[in-house]
Amino acid sequence: MTNITIQEIRAYIALANTLSFTRAAEQLNLSQPALSYKLQQLEEKLGAVLFERSSRRVNMTEAGLKILSNAERLLQDLDHTLAHMQQLCQEDNYRIVITCSEGVAAAMLAPVMTSFEERFPHTSISILDDTDSRVIEHLTSGAAHLGITSYWQDHPDFLYVPVQTDQLYVLFPAGHPLETLEEINLQALAQYDFIGLTRESDPGQLVSKLCTRDGIDLRIKFTASHIGTLMNMVQSDLGISVVPRMRLPVQLHESLRMEPLQAAGSEVNIGIVSQVKRPMAVQIQLLREILIAQADNFSLPENP
């Protein structure tokens, strides 16, 4: 048995998975005659018929079924080996793209960069700070290798690992009447103009859910999709707001104050999102492991 090609193996697996010459050919970007030729060549080299063909259907023979798992494992091992070889060749100038819910990068990435740079001094990291919904888009489109977010729904191509619990905090200008309260609950917020995060964000959805549960009607005057915009509006005394603590700058502006929101269920899980169906470069694996291991050492903002 000699000269079996990877293209022939791929043709066999594609037809085995689809049982359709049309779909298998489209999957491999081949014409149907070219696909048939590759399968014929493979069958001749193996000395066995792998498929029963008729004008209406394609079925696998006993021989075809027997070798399927071996062929799939062979192809998977090859793809992983080739990806690893490419990674080794590019290790000195590798670039990792991480997408984060706005504000999270300062708290979670900055503390781990030193240990990562010691291992990969020539690897660059690009950070895409964005809204929660855009973080999902960056991941599913392949624009980012890793994600850090609280806004996540199960996806078969990704693994979400919770690493930290964040707390909703009330944000208000210095000297605001809220500053005199020992505890701030949702009822206290309802007395003042409120600046909310859009409902496309996880914190925005959580605040809305808590208010609905407790029968609280906030006086929402403005909404914003970016934390920076919201902070500037609070700083300008346009209203108060509620945001996760980790989304705020480590050094809060002296004109702002923050206090924890006293409400059951006001916690937000922050997690690391990574791909599971594509080989992960060793640099990405290490950065992911460092982020998970050092989750308790993240930087959190304090009142000025």
Side-chain angles (χ1 to χ4, degrees):
M1 188 190 307
T2 58
N3 299 326
I4 292 178
T5 68
I6 295 302
Q7 289 81 6
E8 291 165 357
I9 298 292
R10 291 189 190 279
Y12 157 66
I13 291 176
L15 186 58
N17 288 332
T18 62
L19 295 179
S20 165
F21 274 89
T22 301
R23 292 200 298 273
E26 289 175 352
Q27 189 179 104
L28 298 172
N29 291 318
L30 295 173
S31 65
Q32 289 190 40
L35 175 65
S36 295
Y37 178 76
K38 291 183 184 300
L39 290 167
Q40 180 183 349
Q41 290 293 303
L42 178 62
E43 288 177 326
E44 289 179 1
K45 292 172 184 178
L46 291 173
V49 177
L50 304 178
F51 297 95
E52 295 175 346
R53 294 105 158 153
S54 71
S55 59
R56 292 188 176 182
R57 62 172 56 185
V58 177
N59 289 317
M60 297 186 71
T61 64
E62 185 178 349
L65 288 168
K66 280 183 178 179
I67 68 170
L68 180 59
S69 61
N70 288 331
E72 288 178 328
R73 186 163 56 250
L74 172 67
L75 198 57
Q76 186 179 53
D77 290 344
L78 175 66
D79 287 341
H80 279 253
T81 300
L82 291 175
H84 184 62
M85 290 168 60
Q86 184 180 35
Q87 169 199 319
L88 292 175
C89 292
Q90 298 177 349
E91 190 170 82
D92 286 342
N93 57 359
Y94 200 83
R95 176 173 171 264
I96 299 175
V97 180
I98 305 175
T99 181
C100 308
S101 299
E102 187 186 12
V104 171
M108 295 185 65
L109 286 176
V112 306
M113 286 299 97
T114 300
S115 55
F116 179 78
E117 283 189 315
E118 289 174 355
R119 176 64 178 85
F120 295 105
H122 302 294
T123 297
S124 63
I125 296 178
S126 295
I127 299 171
L128 299 177
D129 270 312
D130 218 323
T131 59
D132 291 318
S133 58
R134 287 283 294 162
V135 167
I136 294 178
E137 291 178 21
H138 292 317
L139 287 164
T140 55
S141 69
H145 300 104
L146 291 175
I148 306 176
T149 183
S150 60
Y151 187 70
W152 188 255
Q153 296 178 342
D154 288 342
H155 192 291
D157 295 340
F158 296 91
L159 174 66
Y160 177 82
V161 179
V163 295
Q164 181 65 278
T165 300
D166 201 1
Q167 170 72 38
L168 290 181
Y169 266 61
V170 182
L171 186 68
F172 51 90
H176 192 278
L178 289 176
E179 199 167 2
T180 64
L181 301 181
E182 292 187 7
E183 292 187 353
I184 304 177
N185 55 29
L186 287 169
Q187 188 63 54
L189 303 185
Q191 303 176 48
Y192 306 101
D193 289 346
F194 190 82
I195 305 168
L197 284 166
T198 56
R199 297 193 64 176
E200 287 75 25
S201 70
D202 187 56
Q205 290 185 12
L206 180 56
V207 171
S208 177
K209 189 181 300 183
L210 293 176
C211 288
T212 299
R213 181 198 68 190
D214 294 349
I216 303 298
D217 187 16
L218 295 178
R219 289 163 39 182
I220 299 176
K221 293 294 184 180
F222 305 97
T223 58
S225 58
H226 289 276
I227 299 289
T229 302
L230 182 148
M231 289 180 59
N232 287 335
M233 296 173 78
V234 174
Q235 193 173 332
S236 299
D237 205 14
L238 294 174
I240 61 173
S241 190
V242 172
V243 295
R245 187 183 185 189
M246 203 177 289
R247 305 286 187 93
L248 296 169
V250 176
Q251 298 295 327
L252 198 64
H253 193 275
E254 61 181 11
S255 65
L256 294 173
R257 296 291 183 270
M258 64 177 191
E259 293 295 337
L261 176 65
Q262 300 300 323
S266 59
E267 296 80 21
V268 180
N269 286 323
I270 305 291
I272 310 295
V273 184
S274 56
Q275 298 170 348
V276 295
K277 291 195 173 180
R278 281 188 282 177
M280 190 184 301
V282 65
Q283 296 95 321
I284 301 174
Q285 292 181 34
L286 179 65
L287 181 56
R288 178 180 175 274
E289 290 169 5
I290 292 174
L291 284 167
I292 293 173
Q294 299 193 16
D296 293 332
N297 299 324
F298 299 146
S299 302
L300 293 173
E302 301 288 347
N303 274 317

